[in-house]
Amino acid sequence: MKKWMPWIIVAIIVVGLYSWGKGFNNTAVELNENVGEAWGNVQTSYQRRNDLIGNLVNTVKGAADFEKSTLEAVIKARSEATKTTIDPSNITPEQLQQFNQAQGGLSSALSRLLVTIERYPELKANQNFLKLQDELTSTENTIQTARVRYNQAIKPYNNHVKKFPNSILAGWLNFEGKPYFDAEAGAKNPVDVKFDFN
């Protein structure tokens, strides 16, 4: 029996390591899929916004004397935002920052468009425009929710691959931590509110 004892111990260690590795890998794959699904929901929300912006721009184009440069800025920002694509399985902080900048540029151009519209009472009374504006507001809320849910999906994944001893296997199996969505650049600065009563 003594001569079999080392083999039994080795077999127990091998089975234990196999179970640990299998459990780690399967959990990491499942959590990574959850991250991919959450990222898909973020992209779907941004796609809805892009589609609505196209309809909004076409509605606004019909308004007489509307500022052409404002519309062109929105169209250009929308084009830049749709060019930026990310593979959620290999997402890096730099890619996420680039994506945020593109989407932030679109948000900024869209805000300027909506502020400019305030000077056009006939456009503000247009039912198609009002409906699109309401849908855009709703979509912005959906985007915010999707981003929060993406961050919520990232947390268990990062915890799983960064905690010891899982971090050892994560390095061998190329499971890396993923970046969180962060506030857009300049979001921490106070908003300069000006009222023009003229």
Side-chain angles (χ1 to χ4, degrees), residues 108-120:
S108 177
L110 186 58
S111 295
R112 287 192 303 276
L113 173 67
L114 294 176
V115 167
T116 305
I117 286 168
E118 292 299 316
R119 295 185 291 218
Y120 294 86

Side-chain angles (χ1 to χ4, degrees), residues 85-105:
T85 57
I86 295 176
D87 175 9
S89 62
N90 298 320
I91 194 168
T92 65
E94 294 78 21
Q95 289 174 325
L96 194 56
Q97 182 180 13
Q98 183 183 11
F99 182 83
N100 266 341
Q101 285 176 337
Q103 295 299 333

Side-chain angles (χ1 to χ4, degrees), residues 141-173:
N141 292 334
T142 303
I143 289 170
Q144 177 60 25
T145 301
R147 287 173 60 147
V148 167
R149 288 184 180 154
Y150 173 77
N151 282 350
Q152 289 171 342
I154 289 283
K155 184 178 180 180
Y157 173 82
N158 281 351
N159 283 337
H160 183 68
V161 300
K162 289 182 177 181
K163 285 184 177 178
F164 183 81
N166 287 354
S167 58
I168 296 168
L169 271 181
W172 289 341
L173 299 174

Side-chain angles (χ1 to χ4, degrees), residues 24-189:
F24 168 81
N25 185 70
N26 290 346
T27 301
V29 167
E30 182 181 335
L31 293 172
N32 195 37
E33 285 300 311
N34 291 343
V35 169
E37 178 186 19
W39 180 252
N41 292 338
V42 168
Q43 288 188 308
T44 299
S45 298
Y46 278 117
Q47 182 61 52
R48 174 163 170 68
R49 179 174 75 166
N50 288 337
D51 294 344
L52 287 171
I53 289 172
N55 292 336
L56 183 73
V57 166
N58 288 334
T59 302
V60 170
K61 273 183 185 176
D65 301 324
F66 197 83
E67 284 87 346
K68 186 176 180 181
S69 62
T70 305
L71 280 175
E72 287 172 353
V74 172
I75 292 167
K76 181 179 178 194
R78 179 178 176 235
S79 173
E80 290 297 318
T82 56
K83 283 183 195 173
T84 308
T85 57
I86 295 176
D87 175 9
S89 62
N90 298 320
I91 194 168
T92 65
E94 294 78 21
Q95 289 174 325
L96 194 56
Q97 182 180 13
Q98 183 183 11
F99 182 83
N100 266 341
Q101 285 176 337
Q103 295 299 333
L106 179 55
S107 294
S108 177
L110 186 58
S111 295
R112 287 192 303 276
L113 173 67
L114 294 176
V115 167
T116 305
I117 286 168
E118 292 299 316
R119 295 185 291 218
Y120 294 86
E122 72 282 358
L123 188 54
K124 289 191 324 185
N126 180 314
Q127 290 303 312
N128 286 341
F129 174 77
L130 293 174
K131 184 172 185 266
L132 286 168
Q133 195 173 19
D134 286 345
E135 286 186 38
L136 267 175
T137 301
S138 172
T139 300
E140 291 296 331
N141 292 334
T142 303
I143 289 170
Q144 177 60 25
T145 301
R147 287 173 60 147
V148 167
R149 288 184 180 154
Y150 173 77
N151 282 350
Q152 289 171 342
I154 289 283
K155 184 178 180 180
Y157 173 82
N158 281 351
N159 283 337
H160 183 68
V161 300
K162 289 182 177 181
K163 285 184 177 178
F164 183 81
N166 287 354
S167 58
I168 296 168
L169 271 181
W172 289 341
L173 299 174
N174 292 324
F175 285 106
E176 297 178 6
K178 297 184 185 293
Y180 290 93
F181 258 113
D182 202 1
E184 293 174 11
K188 64 182 177 185
N189 299 333

